[in-house]
Amino acid sequence: MSNVLILGANGGIARHATDLFLKETQARLTLCLRNAARLKNTHPERMRIIECDVLDLESLKTAMAGQDVVYANLAGDLERMARNIVKAMDATGLKRLIFISSMGIYDEVPGEKYGSILEPYRRAAAVIEASDLDYTILRPAWFTHDDETDYQTTQKGQPFKGSQVSRKSVAALVVKLAETPGLEVRRSLGVSKPG
Ligand SMILES: NC(=O)c1ccc[n+]([C@@H]2O[C@H](COP(=O)([O-])OP(=O)(O)OC[C@H]3O[C@@H](n4cnc5c(N)ncnc54)[C@H](OP(=O)(O)O)[C@@H]3O)[C@@H](O)[C@H]2O)c1
């Protein structure tokens, strides 16, 4: 049974992933967010809600104690966040990281140039790729609210396929990665709806 730390637990994908972890796995969850009052603990026997700020290294190290998997679902100063996550994981001896990024960070989307808006995502990915962590970076397409799980993945170096993906699909992939040791380790995956 794994212990999963969810950073940015009040985020859109993270809330879907929390539901799926609870429904489909036995994982014990630690939900980390800046304002703990925003979430209700519906499963106190296997879920903890804590306040932590990913920009604060010490609170991050504390949150990481005893975890097996770190799932980062963040927005904002992602490069600084990635640096802190790598430092805190190194300091606490954790290896497995699942990090949500965005399509377009390698200019891999045919016919699209996303420019400076993706700089924080590019720099964060570079920090993670330079670490010795067992990371999987996810590069989802535009999110939809569709109630479906239907996705395909592309590897770094391949052209991105598709243009959108449901939040639920990205969450399902996060749960699968967290629950399957070794799956897509040290990879950066494009994620989109097929067709
Ligand atoms: N929208 C799209 O179509 C699309 C497509 C591809 C990728 N993406 C990217 O995918 C990522 C995940 O998306 P999402 O919709 O799930 O994100 P989201 O709802 O914007 O959630 C991001 C979370 O980051 C948290 N956060 C920000 N700074 C933090 C800090 N210092 N410490 C702890 N938590 C912090 C926020 O927490 P608070 O609640 O405390 O503010 C928020 O809950 C985002 O980076 C998004 O830009 C989006």
Side-chain angles (χ1 to χ4, degrees), residues 67-135:
Q67 305 293 342
D68 303 303
V69 177
V70 178
Y71 155 40
N73 193 99
L74 298 162
D77 188 349
L78 287 177
E79 182 185 8
R80 246 179 91 201
M81 290 178 185
R83 284 194 193 287
N84 272 358
I85 290 168
V86 171
K87 270 189 207 154
M89 289 183 73
D90 283 348
T92 50
L94 302 189
K95 291 296 270 185
R96 186 72 175 112
L97 171 66
I98 300 161
F99 189 95
I100 307 291
S101 177
S102 171
M103 69 172 164
I105 59 169
Y106 309 119
D107 283 334
E108 78 280 22
V109 184
E112 299 282 355
K113 283 265 177 221
Y114 289 102
S116 61
I117 194 156
L118 288 185
E119 259 327 292
Y121 293 83
R122 290 192 185 99
R123 293 208 204 102
V127 168
I128 292 164
E129 288 168 332
S131 77
D132 64 357
L133 297 177
D134 291 344
Y135 66 81

Side-chain angles (χ1 to χ4, degrees), residues 7-15 32-35 38 52-55 73-76 78 81 100-103 121 140-143 167:
L7 302 175
N10 195 37
I13 305 289
R15 278 182 278 122
C32 153
L33 64 166
R34 289 184 291 186
N35 178 354
R38 286 193 188 145
C52 76
D53 185 333
V54 176
L55 295 174
N73 193 99
L74 298 162
L78 287 177
M81 290 178 185
I100 307 291
S101 177
S102 171
M103 69 172 164
Y121 293 83
W142 295 112
F143 297 151
R167 286 175 167 81

